[in-house]
Amino acid sequence: MAMARSTATGDVFHAVADPTRRRILDLLVEGDKAVLELVAGFQISQPSISEHLRVLREAGLVAVRKLGRKRIYRITPIYLREITSWIATYNRFWDHRLDALGEHLKTANEPIATIHRQMTMEID
């Protein structure tokens, strides 16, 4: 399976590997935010948040616009598809395991179903 190639300059996987950057994305899912609004959600300095925002911006995961003196960030999730596509490659393993679990549960429950039918017949 060919992986979509990002046109952003940064690595999407690297960008989301950091918990602070994932939390920034979580905050931006709620809506556009100014840098100071984002900083308020963390116990780290504004320059640190700005550095995380730079990594996210280079990966194409956020965009920024100026509004007066404020810099407003918004999420641009299109490059998250790269991660989704990569994960989809491994879904077949889960599908196979869930099918196997379903078959196991049917087999394991068969004696219980037989006992239940017998008990129901005895009551009737």
Coordinates of all heavy atoms in Angstrom, one line a residue, residues 42-115:
F42 N -1.5 25.0 29.5 CA -0.3 24.2 29.8 C 0.5 24.9 30.9 O 0.3 26.0 31.2 CB 0.6 24.2 28.6 CG 0.0 23.4 27.4 CD1 -0.8 24.1 26.5 CD2 0.1 22.0 27.3 CE1 -1.4 23.4 25.4 CE2 -0.5 21.3 26.3 CZ -1.2 22.0 25.3
Q43 N 1.4 24.1 31.5 CA 2.3 24.6 32.5 C 3.7 24.9 31.9 O 4.7 24.8 32.7 CB 2.4 23.6 33.7 CG 1.1 23.3 34.4 CD 0.6 24.5 35.1 OE1 1.4 25.2 35.8 NE2 -0.7 24.7 35.1
I44 N 3.8 25.2 30.7 CA 5.1 25.5 30.0 C 5.0 26.9 29.4 O 3.9 27.5 29.3 CB 5.4 24.4 29.0 CG1 4.4 24.3 27.9 CG2 5.6 23.1 29.6 CD1 4.8 23.4 26.8
S45 N 6.2 27.4 29.1 CA 6.3 28.8 28.6 C 5.7 29.0 27.2 O 5.5 28.1 26.4 CB 7.7 29.2 28.6 OG 8.4 28.5 27.6
Q46 N 5.4 30.3 26.9 CA 4.9 30.6 25.6 C 5.9 30.2 24.5 O 5.4 29.7 23.5 CB 4.5 32.1 25.5 CG 3.9 32.4 24.1 CD 3.5 33.9 24.0 OE1 3.4 34.6 25.0 NE2 3.4 34.4 22.8
P47 N 7.2 30.5 24.7 CA 8.1 30.1 23.6 C 8.1 28.6 23.4 O 8.3 28.1 22.2 CB 9.5 30.5 24.2 CG 9.2 31.7 25.1 CD 7.9 31.3 25.7
S48 N 7.9 27.8 24.4 CA 7.8 26.3 24.2 C 6.6 26.0 23.4 O 6.6 25.1 22.5 CB 7.8 25.6 25.6 OG 9.0 25.8 26.2
I49 N 5.4 26.6 23.8 CA 4.2 26.4 23.0 C 4.4 26.8 21.5 O 4.0 26.1 20.6 CB 3.0 27.1 23.6 CG1 2.7 26.5 25.0 CG2 1.8 27.0 22.7 CD1 2.2 25.0 24.9
S50 N 5.1 27.9 21.3 CA 5.3 28.4 20.0 C 6.2 27.5 19.2 O 6.0 27.3 18.0 CB 6.0 29.8 20.0 OG 5.0 30.8 20.6
E51 N 7.1 26.8 19.9 CA 8.0 25.8 19.2 C 7.1 24.6 18.8 O 7.3 24.1 17.7 CB 9.1 25.4 20.1 CG 10.0 24.4 19.5 CD 10.8 24.8 18.2 OE1 10.9 26.0 18.0 OE2 11.2 23.9 17.5
H52 N 6.3 24.2 19.7 CA 5.4 23.1 19.3 C 4.5 23.5 18.2 O 4.2 22.6 17.3 CB 4.5 22.6 20.6 CG 5.3 21.9 21.6 ND1 5.9 20.7 21.3 CD2 5.6 22.2 22.9 CE1 6.5 20.2 22.4 NE2 6.4 21.2 23.4
L53 N 4.0 24.7 18.2 CA 3.1 25.1 17.1 C 3.9 25.2 15.8 O 3.3 24.9 14.7 CB 2.5 26.5 17.4 CG 1.4 26.5 18.5 CD1 1.1 27.9 19.0 CD2 0.1 25.8 17.9
R54 N 5.2 25.5 15.8 CA 6.0 25.6 14.6 C 6.1 24.2 14.0 O 5.9 24.0 12.8 CB 7.4 26.1 14.9 CG 8.3 26.2 13.7 CD 9.7 26.4 14.0 NE 10.3 25.4 14.8 CZ 10.7 24.2 14.4 NH1 10.6 23.9 13.2 NH2 11.2 23.3 15.3
V55 N 6.3 23.2 14.9 CA 6.4 21.8 14.4 C 5.1 21.3 13.8 O 5.1 20.7 12.7 CB 6.8 20.8 15.6 CG1 6.7 19.4 15.1 CG2 8.2 21.2 16.1
L56 N 4.0 21.7 14.4 CA 2.7 21.3 13.9 C 2.4 22.0 12.6 O 1.8 21.4 11.6 CB 1.6 21.6 14.9 CG 1.6 20.8 16.2 CD1 0.6 21.4 17.2 CD2 1.2 19.3 15.8
R57 N 2.8 23.3 12.5 CA 2.6 24.1 11.3 C 3.4 23.5 10.1 O 2.9 23.3 9.0 CB 3.0 25.5 11.5 CG 2.5 26.5 10.5 CD 2.8 28.0 10.9 NE 4.2 28.2 11.1 CZ 4.8 28.5 12.2 NH1 4.0 28.7 13.3 NH2 6.1 28.7 12.3
E58 N 4.7 23.1 10.4 CA 5.6 22.5 9.4 C 5.0 21.2 8.9 O 5.3 20.8 7.7 CB 7.0 22.4 9.9 CG 7.7 23.8 10.0 CD 9.1 23.7 10.5 OE1 9.6 22.6 10.8 OE2 9.7 24.8 10.6
A59 N 4.3 20.5 9.8 CA 3.8 19.2 9.4 C 2.4 19.4 8.7 O 1.8 18.4 8.2 CB 3.6 18.3 10.6
G60 N 2.0 20.6 8.6 CA 0.7 20.9 7.9 C -0.5 20.6 8.8 O -1.6 20.6 8.2
L61 N -0.3 20.4 10.1 CA -1.5 20.1 10.9 C -2.2 21.3 11.5 O -3.3 21.1 12.0 CB -1.0 19.2 12.1 CG -0.4 17.8 11.6 CD1 0.2 17.0 12.8 CD2 -1.5 17.0 10.9
V62 N -1.6 22.4 11.5 CA -2.2 23.7 11.9 C -1.9 24.8 10.9 O -0.9 24.7 10.2 CB -1.8 24.1 13.3 CG1 -2.2 23.1 14.4 CG2 -0.3 24.5 13.4
A63 N -2.7 25.8 10.9 CA -2.5 27.0 10.1 C -2.7 28.2 11.0 O -3.4 28.1 12.0 CB -3.5 27.0 8.9
V64 N -2.0 29.2 10.6 CA -2.1 30.4 11.5 C -2.5 31.6 10.6 O -2.1 31.7 9.4 CB -0.7 30.7 12.2 CG1 0.4 30.9 11.1 CG2 -0.8 31.8 13.2
R65 N -3.2 32.5 11.2 CA -3.5 33.8 10.6 C -3.4 34.9 11.6 O -3.5 34.6 12.8 CB -4.9 33.8 10.0 CG -6.0 33.7 11.0 CD -7.4 33.6 10.4 NE -8.4 33.0 11.3 CZ -9.0 33.7 12.2 NH1 -8.9 34.9 12.4 NH2 -9.9 33.0 13.0
K66 N -3.1 36.1 11.2 CA -2.9 37.2 12.1 C -4.3 37.9 12.2 O -5.0 38.1 11.2 CB -1.9 38.2 11.6 CG -0.5 37.8 11.8 CD 0.5 38.9 11.5 CE 1.8 38.6 12.2 NZ 2.7 39.8 12.1
L67 N -4.6 38.3 13.4 CA -5.8 39.1 13.6 C -5.4 40.2 14.6 O -5.3 40.0 15.8 CB -6.9 38.2 14.3 CG -8.2 38.9 14.5 CD1 -8.9 39.4 13.2 CD2 -9.2 38.0 15.3
G68 N -5.0 41.3 14.0 CA -4.5 42.4 14.8 C -3.1 42.0 15.3 O -2.2 41.6 14.5
R69 N -2.9 42.0 16.6 CA -1.6 41.6 17.1 C -1.6 40.1 17.5 O -0.6 39.5 17.9 CB -1.3 42.4 18.4 CG -1.1 43.9 18.0 CD -0.9 44.7 19.2 NE 0.4 44.2 19.8 CZ 1.0 44.9 20.8 NH1 0.5 46.0 21.3 NH2 2.1 44.4 21.3
K70 N -2.8 39.5 17.4 CA -2.9 38.0 17.8 C -2.6 37.1 16.6 O -2.8 37.5 15.4 CB -4.3 37.7 18.3 CG -4.7 38.4 19.5 CD -6.1 38.0 19.9 CE -6.5 38.7 21.2 NZ -7.9 38.3 21.5
R71 N -2.0 36.0 16.9 CA -1.9 34.9 15.9 C -2.9 33.8 16.3 O -2.8 33.2 17.4 CB -0.4 34.4 16.0 CG 0.6 35.5 15.5 CD 2.0 35.0 15.7 NE 2.4 34.0 14.7 CZ 2.8 34.2 13.5 NH1 3.0 35.4 13.1 NH2 3.2 33.2 12.7
I72 N -3.8 33.6 15.4 CA -4.9 32.6 15.6 C -4.5 31.3 14.9 O -4.2 31.3 13.7 CB -6.2 33.2 15.1 CG1 -6.5 34.6 15.6 CG2 -7.3 32.2 15.4 CD1 -6.6 34.7 17.1
Y73 N -4.6 30.2 15.6 CA -4.3 28.9 15.1 C -5.6 28.1 14.9 O -6.5 28.2 15.6 CB -3.3 28.1 16.0 CG -1.9 28.6 15.8 CD1 -1.4 29.7 16.5 CD2 -1.1 27.9 14.9 CE1 -0.1 30.1 16.4 CE2 0.2 28.3 14.8 CZ 0.7 29.4 15.5 OH 2.0 29.9 15.3
R74 N -5.6 27.3 13.8 CA -6.7 26.4 13.6 C -6.1 25.1 13.1 O -5.0 25.0 12.5 CB -7.6 27.0 12.5 CG -7.1 27.1 11.1 CD -8.2 27.6 10.1 NE -7.6 27.9 8.9 CZ -7.4 27.0 7.9 NH1 -7.7 25.8 8.1 NH2 -6.8 27.4 6.8
I75 N -6.8 24.0 13.3 CA -6.4 22.7 12.9 C -6.6 22.5 11.4 O -7.7 23.0 10.9 CB -7.0 21.6 13.8 CG1 -6.4 20.3 13.6 CG2 -8.5 21.5 13.5 CD1 -6.7 19.2 14.6
T76 N -5.7 21.9 10.8 CA -5.9 21.5 9.4 C -5.6 20.0 9.3 O -4.5 19.6 9.0 CB -4.9 22.3 8.4 OG1 -3.6 22.2 8.9 CG2 -5.3 23.8 8.4
P77 N -6.6 19.3 9.5 CA -6.4 17.8 9.7 C -6.2 17.0 8.5 O -6.0 15.8 8.6 CB -7.8 17.4 10.4 CG -8.8 18.3 9.8 CD -8.0 19.7 9.6
I78 N -6.1 17.6 7.3 CA -5.9 16.8 6.1 C -4.7 15.9 6.2 O -4.7 14.7 5.7 CB -5.9 17.7 4.8 CG1 -6.0 16.8 3.6 CG2 -4.7 18.5 4.8 CD1 -6.4 17.5 2.4
Y79 N -3.6 16.3 6.8 CA -2.4 15.5 6.8 C -2.5 14.4 7.9 O -1.7 13.5 7.9 CB -1.2 16.3 7.0 CG -0.9 17.2 5.8 CD1 -1.1 18.6 5.9 CD2 -0.5 16.6 4.6 CE1 -0.9 19.4 4.8 CE2 -0.3 17.4 3.5 CZ -0.5 18.8 3.6 OH -0.3 19.5 2.5
L80 N -3.5 14.4 8.7 CA -3.8 13.3 9.6 C -4.2 12.1 8.9 O -4.1 10.9 9.4 CB -4.8 13.7 10.7 CG -4.4 14.7 11.7 CD1 -5.6 15.1 12.6 CD2 -3.2 14.1 12.6
R81 N -4.6 12.3 7.6 CA -5.0 11.1 6.8 C -3.8 10.2 6.6 O -3.9 9.0 6.4 CB -5.5 11.6 5.4 CG -6.9 12.1 5.5 CD -7.3 12.5 4.1 NE -8.6 13.1 4.2 CZ -9.1 13.8 3.2 NH1 -8.5 13.9 2.1 NH2 -10.3 14.4 3.3
E82 N -2.6 10.8 6.6 CA -1.4 10.0 6.5 C -1.3 8.9 7.6 O -1.0 7.8 7.4 CB -0.2 10.9 6.5 CG 1.1 10.3 6.0 CD 2.2 11.3 5.8 OE1 1.9 12.4 5.3 OE2 3.3 10.9 6.1
I83 N -1.6 9.4 8.8 CA -1.6 8.5 10.0 C -2.8 7.5 9.8 O -2.6 6.3 10.1 CB -1.7 9.3 11.3 CG1 -0.5 10.1 11.4 CG2 -1.9 8.4 12.5 CD1 -0.6 11.1 12.5
T84 N -3.9 7.9 9.5 CA -5.1 7.1 9.3 C -4.8 6.0 8.3 O -5.1 4.8 8.5 CB -6.3 7.9 8.9 OG1 -6.5 8.9 9.9 CG2 -7.6 7.0 8.8
S85 N -4.2 6.3 7.2 CA -3.9 5.4 6.1 C -2.9 4.3 6.7 O -3.0 3.1 6.4 CB -3.3 6.1 4.9 OG -4.2 6.9 4.3
W86 N -1.9 4.8 7.4 CA -0.9 3.8 8.0 C -1.6 2.9 8.9 O -1.4 1.7 8.9 CB 0.2 4.6 8.7 CG 1.3 3.8 9.2 CD1 2.3 3.2 8.5 CD2 1.4 3.3 10.5 NE1 3.1 2.4 9.3 CE2 2.6 2.5 10.6 CE3 0.7 3.6 11.7 CZ2 3.0 1.9 11.8 CZ3 1.2 3.0 12.9 CH2 2.3 2.2 12.9
I87 N -2.5 3.4 9.8 CA -3.2 2.5 10.8 C -4.1 1.6 10.0 O -4.2 0.4 10.5 CB -3.9 3.4 11.8 CG1 -2.9 4.1 12.7 CG2 -4.9 2.6 12.6 CD1 -3.6 5.2 13.6
A88 N -4.7 2.0 9.0 CA -5.7 1.1 8.2 C -5.0 -0.1 7.7 O -5.6 -1.2 7.6 CB -6.3 1.9 7.1
T89 N -3.7 0.0 7.5 CA -2.9 -1.2 7.0 C -3.0 -2.3 8.1 O -3.0 -3.5 7.7 CB -1.4 -0.8 6.8 OG1 -1.4 0.2 5.9 CG2 -0.6 -2.0 6.3
Y90 N -3.1 -2.0 9.3 CA -3.1 -3.0 10.4 C -4.5 -3.3 10.9 O -4.6 -4.2 11.7 CB -2.3 -2.4 11.5 CG -0.8 -2.2 11.1 CD1 -0.4 -0.9 10.6 CD2 0.1 -3.2 11.0 CE1 0.8 -0.7 10.2 CE2 1.3 -3.0 10.6 CZ 1.7 -1.8 10.1 OH 3.0 -1.6 9.7
N91 N -5.5 -2.7 10.3 CA -6.9 -3.1 10.7 C -7.2 -4.5 10.4 O -8.0 -5.1 11.2 CB -7.9 -2.2 10.0 CG -8.0 -0.8 10.7 OD1 -7.5 -0.6 11.8 ND2 -8.6 0.1 10.0
R92 N -6.7 -5.1 9.3 CA -7.0 -6.4 9.0 C -6.6 -7.4 10.1 O -7.2 -8.4 10.3 CB -6.4 -6.8 7.6 CG -4.9 -6.8 7.7 CD -4.3 -7.0 6.3 NE -2.9 -6.7 6.2 CZ -2.0 -7.6 5.9 NH1 -2.3 -8.8 5.5 NH2 -0.7 -7.2 5.8
F93 N -5.5 -7.1 10.8 CA -5.1 -7.9 11.9 C -6.2 -7.9 13.0 O -6.5 -9.0 13.6 CB -3.8 -7.5 12.5 CG -2.7 -7.7 11.5 CD1 -2.0 -6.6 11.0 CD2 -2.3 -8.9 11.0 CE1 -1.0 -6.7 10.0 CE2 -1.3 -9.1 10.1 CZ -0.6 -7.9 9.6
W94 N -6.7 -6.8 13.3 CA -7.8 -6.7 14.3 C -9.0 -7.4 13.8 O -9.7 -8.1 14.6 CB -8.1 -5.2 14.6 CG -7.1 -4.7 15.5 CD1 -6.1 -3.8 15.1 CD2 -6.8 -4.9 16.9 NE1 -5.3 -3.5 16.2 CE2 -5.7 -4.2 17.3 CE3 -7.5 -5.8 17.8 CZ2 -5.2 -4.3 18.6 CZ3 -7.0 -5.8 19.1 CH2 -5.9 -5.1 19.4
D95 N -9.4 -7.2 12.5 CA -10.6 -7.9 12.0 C -10.5 -9.4 12.1 O -11.4 -10.1 12.6 CB -10.8 -7.5 10.5 CG -11.2 -6.0 10.4 OD1 -11.6 -5.4 11.4 OD2 -11.1 -5.5 9.2
H96 N -9.3 -9.9 11.8 CA -9.1 -11.4 11.9 C -9.2 -11.8 13.3 O -9.8 -12.8 13.6 CB -7.7 -11.7 11.3 CG -7.3 -13.1 11.5 ND1 -7.9 -14.2 10.9 CD2 -6.4 -13.7 12.4 CE1 -7.4 -15.3 11.3 NE2 -6.4 -15.0 12.2
R97 N -8.6 -11.1 14.2 CA -8.6 -11.5 15.6 C -10.0 -11.4 16.2 O -10.4 -12.2 17.0 CB -7.6 -10.6 16.5 CG -6.2 -11.0 16.2 CD -5.2 -10.1 17.0 NE -3.9 -10.5 16.7 CZ -3.1 -11.0 17.6 NH1 -3.5 -11.2 18.9 NH2 -1.9 -11.4 17.3
L98 N -10.8 -10.3 15.8 CA -12.1 -10.2 16.3 C -13.0 -11.3 15.8 O -13.9 -11.9 16.5 CB -12.7 -8.9 16.0 CG -12.1 -7.7 16.7 CD1 -12.6 -6.4 16.2 CD2 -12.3 -7.8 18.2
D99 N -12.8 -11.7 14.5 CA -13.5 -12.9 13.9 C -13.2 -14.1 14.7 O -14.1 -14.9 15.0 CB -13.2 -13.1 12.4 CG -13.7 -12.0 11.6 OD1 -14.6 -11.2 12.0 OD2 -13.3 -11.8 10.4
A100 N -11.9 -14.3 15.0 CA -11.5 -15.5 15.8 C -12.1 -15.5 17.2 O -12.6 -16.5 17.7 CB -10.0 -15.6 15.8
L101 N -12.2 -14.4 17.8 CA -12.8 -14.2 19.1 C -14.3 -14.6 19.0 O -14.8 -15.3 19.9 CB -12.6 -12.8 19.7 CG -13.2 -12.5 21.0 CD1 -12.7 -13.5 22.1 CD2 -13.1 -11.1 21.4
G102 N -14.9 -14.1 18.0 CA -16.4 -14.4 17.8 C -16.6 -15.8 17.7 O -17.5 -16.4 18.3
E103 N -15.8 -16.5 16.9 CA -15.9 -18.0 16.7 C -15.7 -18.7 18.0 O -16.4 -19.6 18.4 CB -15.0 -18.5 15.6 CG -15.4 -18.1 14.2 CD -16.8 -18.6 13.9 OE1 -17.1 -19.8 14.2 OE2 -17.6 -17.8 13.3
H104 N -14.6 -18.3 18.8 CA -14.3 -18.9 20.0 C -15.5 -18.7 21.0 O -15.9 -19.7 21.7 CB -13.1 -18.3 20.6 CG -12.8 -18.7 22.0 ND1 -12.3 -20.0 22.3 CD2 -13.0 -18.1 23.2 CE1 -12.2 -20.1 23.6 NE2 -12.6 -19.0 24.2
L105 N -16.1 -17.5 21.1 CA -17.2 -17.3 22.0 C -18.4 -18.1 21.6 O -19.1 -18.6 22.5 CB -17.6 -15.8 22.0 CG -16.5 -14.9 22.7 CD1 -16.9 -13.4 22.5 CD2 -16.3 -15.3 24.1
K106 N -18.7 -18.3 20.3 CA -19.8 -19.2 19.9 C -19.5 -20.6 20.4 O -20.4 -21.2 20.9 CB -19.9 -19.2 18.3 CG -20.6 -18.0 17.8 CD -20.7 -18.2 16.2 CE -21.1 -17.0 15.5 NZ -21.0 -17.1 14.1
T107 N -18.3 -21.1 20.2 CA -18.0 -22.4 20.6 C -18.1 -22.6 22.1 O -18.6 -23.5 22.7 CB -16.6 -22.8 20.1 OG1 -16.5 -22.6 18.7 CG2 -16.2 -24.2 20.5
A108 N -17.5 -21.6 22.8 CA -17.5 -21.6 24.3 C -18.9 -21.5 24.9 O -19.2 -22.1 25.9 CB -16.6 -20.5 24.8
N109 N -19.8 -20.8 24.2 CA -21.1 -20.6 24.7 C -22.0 -21.8 24.3 O -23.1 -21.9 24.9 CB -21.7 -19.3 24.2 CG -21.1 -18.1 25.0 OD1 -20.6 -18.3 26.1 ND2 -21.1 -17.0 24.3
E110 N -21.6 -22.6 23.4 CA -22.5 -23.7 23.0 C -23.0 -24.6 24.1 O -24.2 -24.9 24.2 CB -21.8 -24.5 21.8 CG -22.8 -25.5 21.2 CD -24.0 -24.8 20.5 OE1 -23.8 -23.7 20.0 OE2 -25.1 -25.4 20.6
P111 N -22.1 -25.0 25.0 CA -22.5 -25.9 26.1 C -23.5 -25.1 27.0 O -24.5 -25.7 27.5 CB -21.3 -26.2 26.9 CG -20.2 -26.1 25.9 CD -20.6 -25.0 24.9
I112 N -23.3 -23.8 27.2 CA -24.2 -23.0 28.0 C -25.6 -23.0 27.3 O -26.6 -23.1 28.0 CB -23.6 -21.6 28.3 CG1 -22.4 -21.8 29.1 CG2 -24.7 -20.7 28.9 CD1 -21.6 -20.5 29.3
A113 N -25.6 -22.8 26.0 CA -26.9 -22.7 25.3 C -27.6 -24.0 25.4 O -28.8 -24.0 25.5 CB -26.6 -22.3 23.8
T114 N -26.9 -25.1 25.3 CA -27.5 -26.4 25.4 C -28.1 -26.7 26.7 O -29.2 -27.1 26.9 CB -26.4 -27.5 25.1 OG1 -25.9 -27.3 23.8 CG2 -27.0 -28.9 25.1
I115 N -27.4 -26.3 27.8 CA -27.9 -26.4 29.1 C -29.1 -25.5 29.3 O -30.1 -26.0 29.9 CB -26.8 -26.0 30.2 CG1 -25.7 -27.1 30.1 CG2 -27.4 -25.9 31.6 CD1 -24.4 -26.7 30.9

